[in-house]
Amino acid sequence: MKKIDAILKEIYTALDDQSLQSGLQRTLKNLLPASHKVLKRWPYLIKLADEVRKIREETLKNLDYYIDEIIKNVESINGKGYFAKDRHEAIKIIDEIVGNDRKLIVKAKSMVTEELKLREHLIEKGHIVYETDLGELLIQISKDKPMHAIAPAIHMSREKAVKLLKNIGVHVSEEMSYEDIVKGVRMFLREKFINADVGISGANVVAADSGATILISNEGNIRLSTILPPKHIAIASIEKIMPTINDAYKQALVQAGYAGLYPPTYLSLTAGPSSTADIEYHRVYGVHGPKEFHLILYDGGRSDAIKNQYLWEQLLCIKCGRCQAECPIWDLVANIWGGSVYGGPMGIVWTAITEDIDTAAQLALICLGCGRCKEVCPMKINMPDIIRYLKTYISKTII
């Protein structure tokens, strides 16, 4: 358990970190108005968010049923479905799929794989692993933790990013424009995509009626990571389940909109391995895309959280990260105020669910209780109320 004095020490250090402060403040100038502009231009997203909340509430009441449906339906599209109760089970499944021989693995950004410490585990097993989201690649190089749900390197200045990229052989320099830096990363990663043995992704949503996953991206790395390697492993936490493909698309649109990146450049649906039926309509699996598709549904404390009268509501979260940008504490130190994976208002509660409630309760003591997180949340999650519960929890343990 991380205690309040250690948390405060990290926060004070972050406040004195000029590089972090510079990167964070530059990013916030762009991040804060982004979702406001999107919702003003496409107001139907607000109504859609209300609809998505109602569907998700009902889905959580029947989660066991939907988990069974997904695994059955993934098998019906020639994929393989799994359920992992905890990290140990998830890692065991992934190790069996990847195999023992050294593999080149390309990864798409995924918070659930951060929970699993999957990249670190695979490297320890002897595999070569590259994060392919630029922000997450910077996190991998710096051995830091993601600082935002969708923009993990939000705290890094341009100068620091260049320095890190040069360390792994990306041909960039401080004099380059943003565009040329990105071009350098593109050239560096392209060879990894082509030669990768395994592609690993998360999933923004999973549709129970088909076992299909939906992924949102702007860089294009997710499509390359999930299509070019011969094996695709998708790992999704169980609260990402929606009953139908139609529902799943609605949630994906809401997430993209409230993240301020709308319309998303890419919205990718994956339903099994690549296939063709161009010869006598006989379906053959494994064409230009992966020959194997594996979907792992990960619990990681969610089933227990459903039974808690306060924590259950956080499972409605679609991880758009809007509450983080609106929080006055997060704006100063980003996910430094958080657990090992998640930070900010949503991160405190996710820490209670996925790590331990004692650490989350200590983190909750920093919260000002202003309530801005609830006001901007597309799911209207009552985070101030949940955080008050965590503060009450710690006061009872002291007494």
Side-chain angles (χ1 to χ4, degrees), residues 67-120:
I67 290 170
D68 290 342
E69 279 295 290
I70 287 176
I71 291 175
K72 182 180 71 179
N73 286 322
V74 168
E75 302 283 341
S76 74
I77 53 177
N78 222 38
K80 291 187 177 177
Y82 313 81
F83 171 75
K85 178 71 177 172
D86 53 29
R87 181 181 184 271
H88 174 75
E89 290 185 8
I91 292 292
K92 185 169 182 285
I93 293 167
I94 295 164
D95 281 346
E96 287 175 358
I97 298 169
V98 172
N100 293 322
D101 297 339
R102 192 182 207 199
K103 302 291 194 316
L104 175 59
I105 299 169
V106 286
K107 263 188 89 266
K109 181 171 67 63
S110 155
M111 295 307 290
V112 75
T113 63
E114 291 290 329
E115 289 179 36
L116 295 170
K117 307 297 179 200
L118 182 58
R119 180 181 66 240
E120 293 84 349

Side-chain angles (χ1 to χ4, degrees), residues 223-224 226-231 273-276 278 284-291:
R223 287 195 173 181
L224 295 173
T226 59
I227 289 179
L228 288 178
K231 289 185 182 179
S274 64
S275 65
T276 179
D278 280 345
V284 176
Y285 289 93
V287 195
H288 301 293
K291 191 173 184 179

Side-chain angles (χ1 to χ4, degrees), residues 133-320:
D133 173 273
L134 176 50
E136 193 66 19
L137 178 64
L138 292 169
I139 295 298
Q140 177 181 1
I141 306 166
S142 65
K143 297 183 171 28
D144 212 337
K145 68 176 182 179
M147 288 293 166
H148 184 265
I150 63 164
I154 200 168
H155 60 302
M156 284 189 198
S157 64
R158 177 175 169 277
E159 294 79 8
K160 183 172 183 180
V162 167
K163 186 177 178 182
L164 289 169
L165 291 168
K166 286 167 74 173
N167 287 344
I168 61 166
V170 181
H171 297 298
V172 290
S173 69
E174 287 78 4
E175 295 74 29
M176 281 183 169
S177 65
Y178 293 99
E179 288 74 16
D180 284 340
I181 294 169
V182 171
K183 183 180 177 183
V185 174
R186 178 178 180 275
M187 298 302 292
F188 177 81
L189 284 178
R190 189 50 56 106
E191 176 261 339
K192 320 300 180 197
F193 285 124
I194 292 170
N195 294 309
D197 302 294
V198 181
I200 295 179
S201 74
N204 293 97
V205 201
V206 184
D209 64 352
S210 57
T213 63
I214 292 180
L215 284 156
I216 308 165
S217 75
N218 294 291
E219 295 182 19
N221 67 304
I222 286 183
R223 287 195 173 181
L224 295 173
S225 299
T226 59
I227 289 179
L228 288 178
K231 289 185 182 179
H232 174 200
I233 304 171
I235 307 157
S237 47
I238 56 175
E239 87 281 3
K240 298 284 184 68
I241 295 172
M242 288 289 267
T244 68
I245 289 178
N246 187 32
D247 298 327
Y249 267 116
K250 289 175 183 173
Q251 179 176 314
L253 294 178
V254 171
Q255 182 179 359
Y258 277 77
L261 297 167
Y262 194 85
T265 309
Y266 302 104
L267 205 54
S268 304
L269 182 145
T270 300
S274 64
S275 65
T276 179
D278 280 345
I279 300 176
E280 297 181 355
Y281 217 68
H282 177 81
R283 198 158 186 179
V284 176
Y285 289 93
V287 195
H288 301 293
K291 191 173 184 179
E292 294 181 23
F293 172 71
H294 303 266
L295 174 60
I296 302 167
L297 297 173
Y298 178 63
D299 187 322
R302 276 95 174 157
S303 293
D304 292 334
I306 289 174
K307 300 168 192 165
N308 183 295
Q309 71 176 107
Y310 294 96
L311 297 180
W312 78 268
E313 196 179 1
Q314 192 63 36
L315 299 175
L316 301 173
C317 173
I318 57 173
K319 296 192 177 82
C320 63

